[in-house]
Amino acid sequence: MAARTYQVIVRGTFAPLDDDQRASLLAKADDHDVFRAKFTEEGTITYERSLLAFTFRCLVPATVEEKEAAVIGRAEALAAAAVRGLGADYRNLDSVSTDLDSIKIRRRGR
Protein backbone atom coordinates (compact mmCIF):
# COMPACT_ATOMS: atom_id res chain seq x y z
CA MET A 1 0.00 0.00 0.00
CA ALA A 2 1.50 3.32 -1.07
CA ALA A 3 1.08 5.88 1.64
CA ARG A 4 3.38 8.49 0.14
CA THR A 5 4.31 9.71 -3.29
CA TYR A 6 7.72 11.16 -4.07
CA GLN A 7 8.50 13.39 -7.02
CA VAL A 8 12.08 12.64 -8.06
CA ILE A 9 14.38 14.44 -10.48
CA VAL A 10 17.46 12.49 -11.57
CA ARG A 11 20.16 14.33 -13.48
CA GLY A 12 23.07 12.65 -15.19
CA THR A 13 25.50 12.82 -18.07
CA PHE A 14 25.72 10.56 -21.07
CA ALA A 15 28.72 8.24 -21.18
CA PRO A 16 30.90 8.82 -24.25
CA LEU A 17 28.77 8.27 -27.34
CA ASP A 18 29.81 6.79 -30.66
CA ASP A 19 28.58 8.22 -33.97
CA ASP A 20 25.65 5.79 -34.25
CA GLN A 21 24.44 6.58 -30.72
CA ARG A 22 24.70 10.32 -31.39
CA ALA A 23 22.72 9.99 -34.62
CA SER A 24 20.05 7.91 -32.90
CA LEU A 25 19.69 10.32 -29.97
CA LEU A 26 19.57 13.35 -32.26
CA ALA A 27 16.86 11.68 -34.37
CA LYS A 28 14.72 11.29 -31.21
CA ALA A 29 15.63 14.64 -29.62
CA ASP A 30 12.32 16.36 -30.42
CA ASP A 31 10.46 13.58 -28.57
CA HIS A 32 12.61 14.23 -25.48
CA ASP A 33 12.37 18.01 -25.37
CA VAL A 34 12.00 19.63 -21.94
CA PHE A 35 8.55 20.93 -22.89
CA ARG A 36 7.30 17.32 -23.01
CA ALA A 37 8.53 16.52 -19.51
CA LYS A 38 6.01 15.10 -17.04
CA PHE A 39 6.16 13.47 -13.65
CA THR A 40 4.74 9.97 -14.16
CA GLU A 41 5.37 6.59 -12.55
CA GLU A 42 7.08 5.44 -15.77
CA GLY A 43 9.17 8.59 -15.88
CA THR A 44 10.11 11.06 -18.58
CA ILE A 45 13.62 11.58 -19.91
CA THR A 46 14.68 14.85 -21.53
CA TYR A 47 17.93 16.02 -23.07
CA GLU A 48 19.29 18.77 -25.26
CA ARG A 49 20.88 18.38 -28.68
CA SER A 50 24.32 18.91 -27.16
CA LEU A 51 23.96 15.32 -25.83
CA LEU A 52 25.94 16.13 -22.72
CA ALA A 53 23.37 15.63 -19.98
CA PHE A 54 19.85 14.38 -19.38
CA THR A 55 17.10 14.82 -16.81
CA PHE A 56 14.68 12.10 -15.73
CA ARG A 57 11.48 12.99 -13.86
CA CYS A 58 9.26 10.43 -12.14
CA LEU A 59 6.74 9.78 -9.39
CA VAL A 60 7.62 7.01 -6.96
CA PRO A 61 4.93 5.58 -4.68
CA ALA A 62 6.30 4.43 -1.32
CA THR A 63 5.17 3.05 1.98
CA VAL A 64 5.56 5.03 5.19
CA GLU A 65 8.38 2.70 6.26
CA GLU A 66 10.47 3.23 3.12
CA LYS A 67 13.42 5.55 3.48
CA GLU A 68 14.06 8.36 1.02
CA ALA A 69 17.30 6.66 -0.07
CA ALA A 70 15.33 3.60 -1.23
CA VAL A 71 12.95 5.82 -3.20
CA ILE A 72 15.87 7.60 -4.87
CA GLY A 73 17.46 4.24 -5.65
CA ARG A 74 14.29 3.11 -7.43
CA ALA A 75 14.13 6.38 -9.37
CA GLU A 76 17.78 6.09 -10.41
CA ALA A 77 17.17 2.52 -11.59
CA LEU A 78 14.28 3.79 -13.73
CA ALA A 79 16.52 6.57 -15.11
CA ALA A 80 19.28 4.08 -15.94
CA ALA A 81 16.79 1.85 -17.77
CA ALA A 82 15.43 4.85 -19.71
CA VAL A 83 18.91 5.90 -20.85
CA ARG A 84 19.77 2.33 -21.86
CA GLY A 85 16.43 2.16 -23.68
CA LEU A 86 17.68 5.04 -25.81
CA GLY A 87 20.76 2.99 -26.71
CA ALA A 88 23.19 4.94 -24.52
CA ASP A 89 24.85 4.66 -21.14
CA TYR A 90 25.17 7.16 -18.30
CA ARG A 91 27.48 8.63 -15.67
CA ASN A 92 27.22 10.80 -12.57
CA LEU A 93 23.62 10.45 -11.42
CA ASP A 94 22.47 13.10 -8.96
CA SER A 95 18.95 13.03 -7.56
CA VAL A 96 16.60 15.18 -5.52
CA SER A 97 13.22 14.08 -4.18
CA THR A 98 10.16 15.74 -2.70
CA ASP A 99 7.58 13.96 -0.56
CA LEU A 100 4.39 15.33 -2.14
CA ASP A 101 2.32 14.34 0.85
CA SER A 102 4.35 16.58 3.15
CA ILE A 103 3.79 19.75 1.12
CA LYS A 104 1.59 22.21 2.94
CA ILE A 105 -0.58 24.57 0.97
CA ARG A 106 -1.25 27.90 2.58
CA ARG A 107 -4.37 29.54 1.35
CA ARG A 108 -4.53 33.30 1.36
CA GLY A 109 -7.30 34.88 3.38
CA ARG A 110 -9.80 36.91 1.46
Side-chain angles (χ1 to χ4, degrees), residues 8-104:
V8 184
I9 298 174
V10 181
R11 290 185 178 88
T13 57
F14 288 109
L17 301 167
D18 63 29
D19 291 339
D20 290 338
Q21 290 171 316
R22 284 186 167 286
S24 177
L25 287 170
L26 287 173
K28 302 174 203 171
D30 289 342
D31 295 334
H32 298 281
D33 186 76
V34 70
F35 294 111
R36 294 181 181 230
K38 298 178 195 170
F39 284 95
T40 65
E41 287 190 28
E42 301 81 34
T44 304
I45 189 166
T46 60
Y47 57 88
E48 295 180 9
R49 292 186 173 276
S50 65
L51 302 179
L52 297 175
F54 61 87
T55 302
F56 183 80
R57 294 167 176 83
C58 65
L59 293 174
V60 180
T63 63
V64 174
E65 296 81 25
E66 279 186 279
K67 303 283 187 211
E68 185 177 18
V71 170
I72 288 175
R74 288 176 29 210
E76 288 180 352
L78 286 171
V83 172
R84 288 189 185 117
L86 293 172
D89 210 351
Y90 64 92
R91 291 184 175 173
N92 307 323
L93 296 182
D94 183 40
S95 303
V96 61
S97 69
T98 303
D99 179 353
L100 296 180
D101 299 310
S102 69
I103 295 174
K104 294 184 172 115

Side-chain angles (χ1 to χ4, degrees), residues 104-110:
K104 294 184 172 115
I105 300 173
R106 285 188 359 191
R107 304 213 188 268
R108 290 184 181 209
R110 293 183 185 213

